[in-house]
Amino acid sequence: MPLVHRLLKHRFNLVFNGNTLNYSPYQLETLYVLLRLMEQNPEQVFILKGKFEDQGNWKRTNFSEELRTRLDGTDDVLPLERELSQFFNTLPLAVYLLSTELDVVRL
C-alpha cells in the first residue's frame, strides 16, 4: 500500500494551498498525483485556489507551454484547456476543517 494511502487511511487531511503547479519542473506529474489523491480520498484531500488557478492565469504561465510541448498542442490549440479550466473553477478559496483533535504537520 503506498505511503499516501496509509496516511489517509488514518483520517489525515491534506490541504494544498493553491499555486501548486506554478513554476514546478514537473507540472503534469504534480497535477496527476493531486488528481489521483483527490479521486481516491475525496473527503480528505483539498486543493485551494491560488492566483495560478484563478481566472485562467495558468494559461499565461509556462504550464501552458508544457501542455503544448508534451501533449502535442499548437499555438492555436491548448490541450486540456476546457477540462483544466473547469477543474480550476471548482476549487475553493478556503477550507474549514472541524476536529476534536487537531494535529498540524507542515511539510
Side-chain angles (χ1 to χ4, degrees):
M1 180 179 298
L3 174 62
V4 171
H5 294 197
R6 282 183 279 154
L7 288 175
L8 298 181
K9 180 180 173 185
H10 297 290
R11 296 299 307 155
F12 281 94
N13 292 303
L14 294 177
V15 180
F16 297 90
N17 289 322
N19 301 320
T20 53
L21 302 177
N22 204 10
Y23 303 112
S24 167
Y26 303 102
Q27 293 170 319
L28 285 175
E29 291 84 354
T30 301
L31 179 62
Y32 173 78
V33 169
L34 293 175
L35 291 174
R36 291 287 293 164
L37 284 170
M38 288 181 72
E39 176 186 53
Q40 294 173 4
N41 307 280
E43 301 298 319
Q44 294 167 266
V45 176
F46 306 93
I47 302 173
L48 302 182
K49 184 185 292 188
K51 184 177 180 182
F52 176 85
E53 297 88 4
D54 196 28
Q55 300 179 7
N57 288 330
W58 65 273
K59 296 179 210 175
R60 295 179 284 282
T61 68
N62 60 339
F63 183 53
S64 62
E65 292 308 313
E66 182 174 354
L67 289 171
R68 283 188 178 95
T69 301
R70 294 181 64 190
L71 301 180
D72 296 327
T74 65
D75 287 341
D76 298 329
V77 177
L78 180 58
L80 301 175
E81 179 177 8
R82 181 177 53 83
E83 294 87 349
L84 288 169
S85 291
Q86 287 175 342
F87 171 67
F88 291 144
N89 286 335
T90 67
L91 298 178
L93 295 173
V95 64
Y96 181 72
L97 302 172
L98 293 175
S99 175
T100 57
E101 295 179 28
L102 182 61
D103 292 327
V104 177
V105 177
R106 294 176 190 234
L107 302 176

